[in-house]
């Protein structure tokens, strides 16, 4: 079985889509309703692309494909995204 | 081969080093230093780098002469506003990028980096966050890199927050930032360092080498009753084992932040 990492690992590719730090954004899983930061999700990367799964129920939250000068993201398992509007400079 | 249409519409990309997209920087290697037999410390000068928080990472992109690109994430060992950015890279035997960074990179070489990345796995001084809970750092192998950045930032800020680092490492030769940790332990900011050797311990070490177990973990971390913030970084297996034990020991899952780097 392919070993997974976590949402921290795809902060870079996601910066092409979102103007905020996506690892701190929370998403709601369509499968179990869990709301969790992307950084807590399970990420499976391969040459074909990246699959993001809910760490609670394994539902596919998102898929990411990068190829040459294009990048594509699908968010089929995320029903809502929550971001903090106060700047978090860390 | 299938008879599916080929992607003829995609033009070959022009000189990737020329105009990095926003967030991408051209970095010059300022110095390299053998960190352990299997790892190299790389200091980068990154013009335009906006500074970074302790615990953040960046992506390194290498481009082959034929245009093939490989991108990998590395934790940053430094923090603050400096445009000098420090990495410490462990060589993965089958890696595409790390063998080059560990064995071949020399001062004067140029790399593309994207960052700083990640706001989840970061620590900032209590004076900035108002969070005075003790901080427990737990590292497996090269997972110590972002935690070293946090311990260093903690000392730089003379932050009074109690810090403990539990560091699981194969042998004494594999310890990252050995001299620096010795200095940090003696700094005014409180840091307690506990090392667990998994393969070979120093001469006369009280504990036989071996993988960390739940009892040893419990003995070496702030108890759940002190409500510590916990940062765990290492291989996926290490991180998940440790995180599960912490929850069993009563730690609040919301107070545990993890970073998994895959690997064996």
């Amino acid at each position: 079985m392919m070993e997974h990492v976590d949402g921290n690992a795809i902060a870079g590719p996601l910066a092409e889509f979102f103007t905020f730090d996506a690892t701190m954004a929370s998403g709601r899983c369509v499968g179990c309703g869990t709301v969790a930061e992307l950084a807590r999700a399970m990420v499976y990367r391969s040459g074909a692309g990246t699959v993001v799964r809910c760490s609670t129920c394994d539902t596919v939250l998102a898929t990411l494909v990068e190829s040459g000068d294009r990048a594509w993201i699908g968010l089929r398992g995320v029903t809502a995204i929550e971001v903090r509007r106060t700047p978090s400079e860390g | 081969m299938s008879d599916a249409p080929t992607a003829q519409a995609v033009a070959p990309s022009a000189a990737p080093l020329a105009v990095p997209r926003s967030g991408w920087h051209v970095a010059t290697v300022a110095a390299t230093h053998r960190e352990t037999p299997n790892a190299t410390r790389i200091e980068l000068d990154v013009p335009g780098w906006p500074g970074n928080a302790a615990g953040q990472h960046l992506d390194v992109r290498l481009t082959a002469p034929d245009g093939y690109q490989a991108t990998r994430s590395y934790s940053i060992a430094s923090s603050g506003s400096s445009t000098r950015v420090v990495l410490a890279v462990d060589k993965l035997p089958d890696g595409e990028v790390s063998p080059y960074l560990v064995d071949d990179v020399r001062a004067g070489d140029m790399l593309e980096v994207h960052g700083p990345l990640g706001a989840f796995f970061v620590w900032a001084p209590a004076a900035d966050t108002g969070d005075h809970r003790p901080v427990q750092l737990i590292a497996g192998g090269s997972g110590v890199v972002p935690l070293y950045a946090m311990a260093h930032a903690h000392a730089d800020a003379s932050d009074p927050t109690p810090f403990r680092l539990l560091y699981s490492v194969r042998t004494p030769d594999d310890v990252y930032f050995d001299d620096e940790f010795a200095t940090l332990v003696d700094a005014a900011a409180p840091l307690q360092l506990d090392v667990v050797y998994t393969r070979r311990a120093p001469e006369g070490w009280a504990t036989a080498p071996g993988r960390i177990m739940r009892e040893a973990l419990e003995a070496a971390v702030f108890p759940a009753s002190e409500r510590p913030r916990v940062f765990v970084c290492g291989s996926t297996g290490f991180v998940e084992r440790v995180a599960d034990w912490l929850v069993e020991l009563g730690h609040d899952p919301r107070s545990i932040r993890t970073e998994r780097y895959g690997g064996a």
Side-chain angles (χ1 to χ4, degrees):
Chain A
M1 187 184 141
M2 193 195 302
E3 185 160 39
H4 64 278
V5 289
D6 57 44
N8 299 299
I10 52 169
L14 292 181
E16 297 189 290
F17 294 96
F18 303 113
T19 57
F20 51 89
D21 180 82
T23 60
M24 275 298 282
S26 294
R28 185 167 64 219
C29 171
V30 73
C32 66
T34 295
V35 177
E37 295 97 332
L38 175 75
R40 298 186 189 273
M42 298 187 295
V43 169
Y44 297 81
R45 303 196 79 167
S46 75
T50 298
V51 177
V52 183
R53 289 180 179 273
C54 173
S55 63
T56 303
C57 74
D58 226 30
T59 288
V60 173
L61 299 173
T63 47
L64 180 65
V65 177
E66 298 169 272
S67 169
D69 62 351
R70 292 185 296 175
W72 181 92
I73 190 168
L75 293 165
R76 74 182 215 202
V78 180
T79 57
I81 294 174
E82 174 195 310
V83 296
R84 303 251 167 176
R85 301 175 79 180
T86 49
S88 60
E89 288 299 312
Chain B
M1 293 293 287
S2 75
D3 57 1
T6 54
Q8 290 170 339
V10 180
S13 63
L17 265 176
V19 187
R21 271 196 301 267
S22 172
W24 283 97
H25 305 269
V26 176
T28 304
V29 176
T32 63
H33 161 85
R34 202 70 180 178
E35 188 68 41
T36 75
N38 203 49
T40 295
R41 191 185 311 192
I42 302 171
E43 296 187 29
L44 300 171
D45 279 326
V46 193
W49 184 257
N52 63 275
Q56 288 193 286
H57 64 275
L58 53 67
D59 286 352
V60 174
R61 180 166 70 189
L62 302 180
T63 305
D66 67 357
Y68 173 76
Q69 293 187 323
T71 304
R72 294 291 183 278
S73 295
Y74 295 100
S75 291
I76 303 169
S78 55
S79 68
S81 59
S82 175
T83 55
R84 174 67 61 94
V85 177
V86 183
L87 309 178
V89 177
D90 191 42
K91 181 163 64 177
L92 301 176
D94 301 325
E96 255 186 341
V97 174
S98 63
Y100 171 76
L101 294 178
V102 172
D103 293 330
D104 299 330
V105 146
R106 295 287 177 271
D109 290 349
M110 294 170 101
L111 302 169
E112 284 184 293
V113 300
H114 182 199
L117 298 170
F120 179 78
F121 199 78
V122 301
W123 178 83
D128 298 342
T129 62
D131 192 337
H132 294 274
R133 289 179 292 164
V135 172
Q136 179 69 51
L137 311 174
I138 305 177
S142 61
V144 78
V145 175
L147 306 182
Y148 168 72
M150 294 179 192
H152 199 288
H154 173 246
D156 280 351
S158 300
D159 185 279
T161 307
F163 258 51
R164 284 185 82 165
L165 167 61
L166 174 59
Y167 185 5
S168 169
V169 66
R170 288 153 60 112
T171 78
D173 296 335
D174 296 306
V175 173
Y176 283 54
F177 307 108
D178 205 359
D179 296 342
E180 288 84 352
F181 275 124
T183 305
L184 291 177
V185 166
D186 289 333
L191 171 68
Q192 182 177 341
L193 174 63
D194 299 281
V195 182
V196 173
Y197 298 96
T198 60
R199 300 278 176 84
R200 175 171 58 81
E203 197 96 356
W205 194 253
T207 322
R211 188 194 256 196
I212 191 163
M213 301 307 281
R214 198 180 110 156
E215 293 68 29
L217 177 80
E218 183 173 16
V221 302
F222 288 114
S225 58
E226 293 187 30
R227 300 178 54 250
R229 302 178 65 200
V230 188
F231 295 89
V232 191
C233 185
S235 68
T236 298
F238 175 86
V239 167
E240 299 197 340
R241 203 161 58 241
V242 164
D244 286 348
W245 284 335
L246 289 168
V247 172
E248 287 171 22
L249 291 168
H251 290 263
D252 178 358
R254 304 306 300 180
S255 294
I256 303 170
R257 296 207 164 182
T258 55
E259 188 160 84
R260 304 158 170 82
Y261 60 63

